[in-house]
Amino acid sequence: MKAKKWVFLFWTTLVVGAISGTITGFALDWNNGMKLGVKEFIVTFIWLFGVSAMFSVVSQMGFFAYLSLHRIGIGIFRSWWNGVQVILIALILFDLVYFRYQFFAEEGESIVPYLLVSVFLFVTSLMVAYIKQKETTKEAFVPALFLMIVVTTLEWFPALYINDPKWLWVYFVPLFTSNVWQLLILHRLLDPKVIEESAKKQAKKQAGNQISTHPQKKQPTNRKKKKRS
């Protein structure tokens, strides 16, 4: 990828995250926001925009860290890497419900609100991964789902630890939208020839791994002895 495209990806992701976080911040505190004067509104807008931009940078760090992790995972686990990612996705979704409920739920409080957060993340991530698969290849589905669930949750951890309802979503929305943007725009910025060559190499590696893990048995050949004349 050329330097111009890297710069484009960085700034557009920054703007997407900053705008989405700012809108979320005002939407969650709409009543108080309408009471603000012009100066207070501008100050609040700048503050929300800056904080959301910072969360967007965190998203970009996590995104490129996963790109490296993905290559390492393929090198270590080979054809098992997708299975490992699926297991980690399931663990993260379970922990997102169980541990938050154990630490923050009051006595008699229902588990449903905690469950809905995990379900929302799972469903929206499925939609994003499906779009990524449709626009690229079927092999991109599991990595896309892993990024949207596992990586986003790890980036979201500081807000999960505080467990403030407003901060949960002010933190989450910039992270999620930034990851969606990066995931769905990356293949458009790459050279199509490079993508095709990479897909062919990955297919060859997977085929080689399957052959090595399941070697074919040599069939015995019956050789007829020639009769001596």
Side-chain angles (χ1 to χ4, degrees), residues 11 23 109 111 118-119 158 175-177 182 186 192-193 201 223 228-229:
W11 285 110
I23 294 173
E109 186 178 357
I111 197 174
S118 185
V119 171
L175 292 174
F176 192 81
T177 54
Q182 292 176 101
L186 182 64
K193 293 181 180 179
K201 288 180 180 178
R223 296 180 178 176
R228 295 178 181 178
S229 55

Side-chain angles (χ1 to χ4, degrees), residues 18-223:
I19 292 176
S20 62
T22 303
I23 294 173
T24 303
F26 277 114
L28 291 175
D29 203 7
W30 180 257
N31 293 329
N32 293 330
M34 294 298 294
K35 298 176 183 178
L36 295 175
V38 177
K39 291 183 179 179
E40 290 82 0
F41 179 84
I42 293 174
V43 171
T44 305
F45 177 85
I46 294 173
W47 182 80
L48 282 172
F49 192 89
V51 169
S52 301
M54 182 181 67
F55 297 155
S56 175
V57 173
V58 173
S59 167
Q60 295 186 56
M61 293 170 62
F63 181 77
F64 288 105
Y66 173 68
L67 293 181
S68 301
L69 175 65
H70 182 63
R71 302 310 305 174
I72 295 172
I74 292 174
I76 296 175
F77 296 101
R78 299 181 183 275
S79 60
W80 296 93
W81 176 229
N82 276 351
V84 172
Q85 290 183 100
V86 170
I87 293 172
L88 291 175
I89 289 169
L91 287 174
I92 287 293
L93 289 173
F94 173 78
D95 292 345
L96 193 58
V97 178
Y98 178 77
F99 285 108
R100 289 187 65 238
Y101 182 75
Q102 290 295 321
F103 282 103
F104 302 116
E106 297 179 358
E107 187 176 354
E109 186 178 357
S110 174
I111 197 174
V112 173
Y114 299 90
L115 183 63
L116 289 177
V117 173
S118 185
V119 171
F120 174 78
L121 177 61
F122 178 64
V123 172
T124 51
S125 298
L126 273 178
M127 295 169 61
V128 175
Y130 178 76
I131 295 171
K132 180 69 174 182
Q133 174 187 321
K134 281 293 185 181
E135 294 185 354
T136 55
T137 61
K138 63 180 181 179
E139 288 78 13
F141 181 82
V142 173
L145 192 64
F146 184 90
L147 172 74
M148 297 309 304
I149 293 177
V150 177
V151 177
T152 300
T153 302
L154 293 176
E155 295 166 348
W156 195 21
F157 182 77
L160 293 171
Y161 182 77
I162 296 172
N163 199 42
D164 181 84
K166 181 180 178 181
W167 272 105
L168 275 177
W169 298 109
V170 171
Y171 206 128
F172 171 78
V173 172
L175 292 174
F176 192 81
T177 54
S178 296
N179 282 336
V180 171
W181 173 254
Q182 292 176 101
L183 186 65
L184 298 183
I185 198 66
L186 182 64
H187 60 273
R188 294 184 174 90
L189 298 177
L190 296 174
D191 187 354
K193 293 181 180 179
V194 175
I195 297 175
E196 289 180 5
E197 290 178 0
S198 178
K200 288 179 181 178
K201 288 180 180 178
Q202 188 171 357
K204 287 181 180 179
K205 285 183 179 179
Q206 290 180 351
N209 292 335
Q210 290 177 358
I211 292 172
S212 62
T213 53
H214 302 287
Q216 295 180 353
K217 294 181 179 179
K218 293 182 178 180
Q219 296 180 355
T221 56
N222 296 324
R223 296 180 178 176

